[in-house]
Amino acid sequence: MTTPPVTTPPVTTAVVSGGRWAGRARGLAVRMWAVPVVVALWEAAARSVESVYFPPPSAILARLRELWFSGPPARLFLSDAAIADFPPSLGHLFGGWALACVGGIALGVAIGRSRTLAGYVDPLIEFGRAIPPPTLIPLFIVLFKADTRMQLATIVYGVIWPVLVNSVDGARYVDRLHIETARVFGLSRGELLFRVILPAAAPKIFAGLRLSLSLALILMVVAELAGSATSGIGYELIYTQQNFDLPGMWGTIALLGVLGFLLNSSFLVVERRALSWHRGAGRRS
């Protein structure tokens, strides 16, 4: 008498997907548990002190909603101020960051693959990245006037260094065996760049891009505070300060914190997908 084979029920895609989302929800809860605790402590402390300089989070949230998110549902609840302020600020942020990324990666790979070029420009790089970008704002105002060009120049100057330095390191330390193998197979210079050097340098380059994104947010605010802007998140920050609208000021600061969190989280998703092959190769090795 033969024993019938034991069959295991198939694991459906829906079950796997549901388990994955449940795991992500648990991970998010573990990461974010401290936020409501801090907010509750801040609320209790602010109500007990009753200082106008430190309003409770409930008052800040109410003012934040009034300033930025009191619009109609058709506009995703964005107020007129949000419609006027978000596009220029985000345009400066992403425009300056994109210019710095393109320039930093191109220069960094060229310097990383040429010892001669590196010998000439390494001292200039060390000198340039030691200068705080806000100290050059008066120079940028003289060169470009206090308008969008000055704001972009400030962001590009401050953001390009981490991208450049990480690209140099990534391109300089590509495994020699990979380079020699590619040459044995007769790859052209372009194929060597796009199929060997850039993929090998990608983890370092992405590390620089992530660091530069947070710097771009900071410099966006600094440039808007220093320029003659009449709109933008930085402009609203200085406007609320000058008009002693402290809940509005704290609300704008909180908005910048949330924006930075969302940018970093979005970038990590892109990085995780773009470098999935790298992690897989690391596990196999």
Side-chain angles (χ1 to χ4, degrees):
M1 181 177 179
T2 59
T3 305
V6 178
T7 59
T8 56
V11 180
T12 63
T13 305
V15 172
V16 173
S17 177
R20 187 180 303 165
W21 281 107
R24 290 178 179 177
R26 284 195 297 271
L28 182 63
V30 170
R31 289 176 55 198
M32 303 294 290
W33 70 269
V35 175
V37 174
V38 172
V39 171
L41 291 175
W42 183 356
E43 180 81 22
R47 288 183 179 278
S48 63
V49 174
E50 295 183 349
S51 170
V52 294
Y53 298 103
F54 300 100
S58 56
I60 295 172
L61 187 62
R63 184 61 178 143
L64 178 67
R65 180 183 175 280
E66 181 183 0
L67 275 176
W68 308 103
F69 302 106
S70 56
R75 293 195 323 205
L76 301 177
F77 302 101
L78 294 175
S79 64
D80 292 337
I83 296 294
D85 292 330
F86 288 178
S89 291
L90 296 179
H92 298 155
L93 190 157
F94 288 117
W97 183 68
L99 289 173
C101 291
V102 172
I105 293 173
L107 285 174
V109 172
I111 296 169
R113 299 306 306 168
S114 171
R115 291 184 180 275
T116 304
L117 182 60
Y120 284 115
V121 301
D122 272 350
L124 296 175
I125 293 175
E126 297 303 322
F127 176 80
R129 71 181 184 136
I131 300 175
T135 62
L136 294 179
I137 287 179
L139 174 64
F140 293 145
I141 291 176
V142 172
L143 293 176
F144 305 115
K145 310 299 180 186
D147 57 14
T148 299
R149 293 173 296 173
M150 180 276 292
Q151 296 170 1
L152 285 176
T154 304
I155 295 172
V156 170
Y157 183 84
V159 163
I160 196 170
W161 303 112
V163 182
L164 177 63
V165 171
N166 279 274
S167 300
V168 170
D169 282 347
R172 179 174 294 167
Y173 298 112
V174 175
D175 193 331
R176 181 179 293 275
L177 180 61
H178 296 168
I179 301 291
E180 293 176 352
T181 303
R183 286 174 177 159
V184 167
F185 280 94
L187 268 63
S188 65
R189 287 192 173 187
E191 290 174 324
L192 182 65
L193 173 65
F194 288 102
R195 299 181 64 176
V196 178
I197 295 174
L198 284 179
K204 281 272 188 178
I205 293 175
F206 269 89
L209 296 179
R210 183 184 174 192
L211 179 59
S212 66
L213 188 58
S214 59
L215 283 175
L217 178 62
I218 296 170
L219 292 173
M220 174 200 78
V221 177
V222 171
E224 289 181 348
L225 291 175
S228 60
T230 56
S231 62
I233 300 174
Y235 165 78
E236 289 295 340
L237 180 61
I238 195 72
Y239 180 82
T240 51
Q241 287 177 349
Q242 292 174 345
N243 288 275
F244 212 64
D245 179 8
L246 295 179
M249 182 197 74
W250 281 103
T252 307
I253 294 173
L255 177 69
L256 289 169
V258 172
L259 181 58
F261 175 80
L262 293 177
L263 288 175
N264 183 64
S265 300
S266 302
F267 185 86
L268 286 178
V269 172
V270 174
E271 181 186 39
R272 194 173 298 121
R273 289 183 179 276
L275 298 182
S276 58
W277 62 271
H278 183 263
R279 288 193 298 275
R283 283 194 294 270
R284 285 193 295 273
S285 64

